[in-house]
Amino acid sequence: MVRFEDVALSYGDGPNVLQDVSYQFAPGSFHFLTGPSGAGKSSLLRMMYLALTPTAGRVTIFDRDTAQLKRQERAVMRRRIGVVFQDFHLLDHLTAVENVSLPLAINGESDRATRQDVAELLAWVGLKEHLDALPPTLSGGQQQRVAIARAVITRPALLLADEPTGNVDDRIAVRLMYLFEELNKLGTTVIIATHNDSLVARFRHPVLRLNGGHLAVQKQENVAAARLTASAVVESQAT
Amino acid sequence: MIGGRRDMPLNRDSTGRFLPWLIAVMVYLASLATMGALTMTKIANEWQSSLTGQLTVQVPVSMPAVESRDAAEDEQVQILLALLKGTPGVESAILMPLDEINQLLEPWLGVVDASASLPLPRLISVTVSPDAPFDMAGLREELQSAVPGTTVDDHQQWLNGLLDLAGLIKLVALLVVVLVGLSAVIMVVFVTRMGLAVHRQIIELLHLIGAHDAYVARQFQWHALKLGLRGGLIGLLCAGATLFLADHFVSRLQASLLPDLALTPLDWLLLVAVPLIAALITLITARITVLQSLARLL
Ligand SMILES: Nc1ncnc2c1ncn2[C@@H]1O[C@H](COP(=O)(O)OP(=O)(O)OP(=O)(O)O)[C@@H](O)[C@H]1O
Ligand SMILES: [Mg+2]
């Protein structure tokens, strides 16, 4: 599904933010991505949603080398990837419903046809009362749920969520995690970057840990079901 | 609203707010220039069709005493008339009555019997068949050898001068239309680029969600069309009012030199087409600008 091979990444002329990252995310897998702030979690996700190309090495998604994609192909591939951005990236002048229906509109579906589905999903994440609210009038946690709804509305093949539960209380966080698990059961490959250790502990999925630019699989005593095991080869070298 | 989605709040852009007014001015200028060119064409055609096939033969004025003059001239006129009527291609040759000559001179000389007090040339008005090939130079020679000093005016020189002028005016009008169109394109490119810069973050997000450039371009182009139509309508109304006034004044002039200048339904149709074309140019320019700018972004 997603394969990293000896990937390094730096911003501009800066130092490498990521180094020697090699890992393969199996189709239908569910991973947590953790690490201290500034470790490069968002950067790793950015390569997966094609906002960045690696400085060295290769990132392969849906069996395509992301560096080789043409502009049009990249747009098509992005439609199969749902992203919850760390800072949401909602459009402030559009209502919650309009924000969530954005990926559908880009797919060419009319707003009128999709409104029902969108409203249901928003109700599911607890925003039944805020369908036509503009993001600036919503709390951080509410905005985050709009962002999540927008990421999952198309049932993407790959879901990348950057700190998706950072602004909500534990009860809602757990509910959102169930949403991701539902999606995962339907076949979506899920990767969630998070600081929330209790959440990581509660949902027993493989955990990848970024530190000093290197990626390592964190052992959990009780690794979840076999279908979730990643075919992981991780090389972690000391700098 | 045209175009459905409005993912970028384009109608809140201050850059787009003045565009309709500029388009209005441009449509106004282009409409007037177009109508000017059309009118000039009409006048030129009118002159040409009323003057081709018309010749004026001028009998030379002999200067001796007034009494003998008429007799001598009458004779010359008879010779010329006979000659003209015998020329193939000539449909009619009529001696212009003195009254008529007096009438032509009236605006300049007042009501006097000019022919009595002035040595005026006699004029023969000749109509030539438009179909038959006609030997102008041959006729001129023949008339001159019969009565030396006879001149033949086929009005071509005068007409050519007028047609040249009309052509020039049309050319200038065309230039105005082209320049106005060009400025409109430049304006729209500028406003669209500003829009792209202002909404850069939104566009980046749309791209990340999988939008093709065409998706972004569509929203810009419908917005531009809306602005173009709005401006075009204003320009059209102003141009219509101006032409209506001009029409009013021309019809009050009742100038015999001017042909009927009233706007035909076709003219009005053309007038309405100007803002539509302007709006279309706005749409296409916006689209191309967005597609080109985005392609450069990577
Ligand atoms: N656009 C950028 N330009 C330059 N450097 C950047 C940019 N984005 C991130 N970095 C650097 O890359 C490193 C990794 O940042 P990243 O955002 O990937 O960390 P993170 O693990 O997501 O952190 P957090 O948990 O705080 O979100 C940081 O040192 C940061 O300064
Ligand atoms: Mg981050």
Side-chain angles (χ1 to χ4, degrees):
Chain A
M1 177 63 54
V2 180
R3 190 167 69 240
F4 286 83
E5 292 167 273
D6 302 317
V7 168
L9 179 78
S10 63
Y11 288 94
D13 297 333
N16 274 355
V17 171
L18 295 169
Q19 278 180 65
D20 305 317
V21 173
S22 293
Y23 193 77
Q24 182 161 344
F25 294 88
S29 61
F30 194 126
H31 286 79
F32 286 117
L33 181 61
T34 63
S37 178
K41 302 182 290 297
S42 297
S43 303
L44 195 72
L45 292 181
R46 272 180 212 133
M47 285 190 281
M48 289 192 258
Y49 57 74
L50 314 174
L52 291 176
T53 41
T55 320
R58 181 162 39 181
V59 178
T60 311
I61 301 175
F62 305 136
D63 296 321
R64 297 290 307 271
D65 181 348
T66 55
Q68 306 294 325
L69 291 173
K70 294 198 195 69
R71 203 174 155 75
Q72 295 294 315
E73 295 172 328
R74 195 161 31 216
V76 171
M77 184 181 282
R78 278 167 171 162
R79 294 182 193 186
R80 302 172 63 192
I81 305 173
V83 186
V84 183
F85 301 95
Q86 189 164 14
D87 41 5
F88 318 148
H89 285 325
L90 297 176
L91 302 189
D92 285 348
H93 66 288
L94 297 186
T95 65
V97 166
E98 286 169 333
N99 265 288
V100 175
S101 63
L102 197 53
L104 299 171
I106 285 172
N107 271 331
E109 295 169 49
S110 86
D111 283 0
R112 213 171 330 133
T114 58
R115 183 173 168 103
Q116 187 62 29
D117 291 348
V118 170
E120 266 170 33
L121 180 57
L122 279 172
W124 205 91
V125 296
L127 295 173
K128 195 184 172 79
E129 312 296 319
H130 303 282
L131 296 184
D132 293 315
L134 298 178
T137 68
L138 295 173
S139 75
Q142 290 169 330
Q143 289 182 32
Q144 189 153 42
R145 282 175 276 162
V146 176
I148 289 170
R150 184 181 64 190
V152 303
I153 188 72
T154 53
R155 291 208 191 147
L158 174 63
L159 180 78
L160 308 169
D162 200 347
E163 212 62 68
T165 56
N167 292 274
V168 293
D169 59 56
D170 278 352
R171 191 182 57 83
I172 295 178
V174 167
R175 191 172 166 84
L176 291 175
M177 284 303 297
Y178 283 136
L179 179 62
F180 295 142
E181 294 220 299
E182 281 307 309
L183 213 59
N184 180 242
K185 279 183 198 138
L186 292 171
T188 298
T189 306
V190 178
I191 302 170
I192 295 176
T194 183
H195 288 292
N196 190 328
D197 290 331
S198 69
L199 215 60
V200 172
R202 182 164 177 167
F203 295 86
R204 296 156 173 266
H205 296 301
V207 179
L208 300 171
R209 189 169 174 81
L210 268 174
N211 212 341
H214 297 275
L215 186 71
V217 177
Q218 191 170 318
K219 294 277 175 284
Q220 269 195 353
E221 315 83 30
N222 217 342
V223 175
R227 73 173 171 88
L228 296 174
T229 40
S231 52
V233 183
V234 177
E235 297 166 62
S236 183
Q237 295 174 346
T239 14
Chain B
M1 188 202 140
I2 5 174
R5 300 277 314 189
R6 38 180 188 92
D7 298 334
M8 287 147 285
L10 293 172
N11 44 9
R12 287 186 212 160
D13 287 3
S14 54
T15 45
R17 219 164 283 154
F18 66 91
L19 190 61
W21 296 105
L22 285 169
I23 302 267
V25 172
M26 289 167 180
V27 164
Y28 180 74
L29 291 177
S31 302
L32 292 190
T34 309
M35 287 300 125
L38 272 183
T39 306
M40 218 46 235
T41 310
K42 266 191 228 166
I43 294 176
N45 286 345
E46 181 80 15
W47 282 337
Q48 192 158 28
S49 68
S50 67
L51 286 181
T52 37
Q54 295 294 328
L55 305 179
T56 307
V57 176
Q58 188 175 320
V59 185
V61 183
S62 43
M63 279 315 279
V66 177
E67 295 81 54
S68 61
R69 180 186 152 199
D70 281 351
E73 275 183 18
D74 281 346
E75 198 189 317
Q76 289 179 334
V77 166
Q78 289 317 316
I79 294 171
L80 291 175
L81 279 177
L83 225 161
L84 281 166
K85 282 179 178 151
T87 307
V90 171
E91 281 185 345
S92 72
I94 302 161
L95 178 67
M96 216 181 271
L98 286 175
D99 288 356
E100 215 167 287
I101 296 179
N102 278 337
Q103 230 170 42
L104 283 176
L105 292 172
E106 212 178 82
W108 283 274
L109 300 177
V111 190
V112 290
D113 186 4
S115 56
S117 44
L118 287 171
L120 289 177
R122 304 279 195 96
L123 300 174
I124 300 171
S125 168
V126 181
T127 309
V128 178
S129 157
D131 316 316
F134 187 72
D135 179 13
M136 188 65 207
L139 179 70
R140 192 171 273 144
E141 242 169 63
E142 221 174 309
L143 293 176
Q144 270 169 1
S145 62
V147 178
T150 304
T151 57
V152 182
D153 182 6
D154 59 358
H155 312 292
Q156 277 311 310
Q157 211 175 347
W158 185 72
L159 190 62
N160 283 343
L162 278 179
L163 291 182
D164 282 352
L165 180 67
L168 186 70
I169 291 175
K170 277 194 275 184
L171 205 68
V172 170
L174 187 73
L175 197 69
V176 168
V177 172
V178 169
L179 286 180
V180 158
L182 219 61
S183 338
V185 167
I186 292 169
M187 285 311 310
V188 175
V189 168
F190 173 75
V191 168
T192 306
R193 289 222 183 120
M194 290 287 281
L196 285 171
V198 169
H199 302 297
R200 196 196 165 93
Q201 281 188 326
I202 296 180
I203 293 168
E204 267 167 20
L205 173 77
L206 292 177
H207 276 145
L208 286 180
I209 298 180
H212 286 301
D213 293 342
Y215 178 88
V216 179
R218 224 172 291 141
Q219 302 196 15
F220 273 93
Q221 87 199 30
W222 292 127
H223 179 67
L225 177 71
K226 208 172 64 179
L227 297 183
L229 279 178
R230 196 180 296 162
L233 192 69
I234 300 169
L236 176 69
L237 289 178
C238 295
T242 306
L243 289 174
F244 185 77
L245 274 179
D247 209 31
H248 181 65
F249 280 113
V250 167
S251 64
R252 263 197 355 192
L253 264 180
Q254 294 186 328
S256 52
L257 257 185
L258 293 177
D260 183 16
L261 293 183
L263 293 183
T264 64
L266 195 71
D267 294 343
W268 285 112
L269 207 68
L270 198 69
L271 197 62
V272 173
V274 172
L276 293 182
I277 292 170
L280 205 66
I281 290 177
T282 325
L283 180 148
I284 293 169
T285 307
R287 178 178 180 84
I288 292 174
T289 307
V290 172
L291 291 180
Q292 284 191 342
S293 305
L294 291 184
R296 242 177 283 139
L297 281 179
L298 187 104

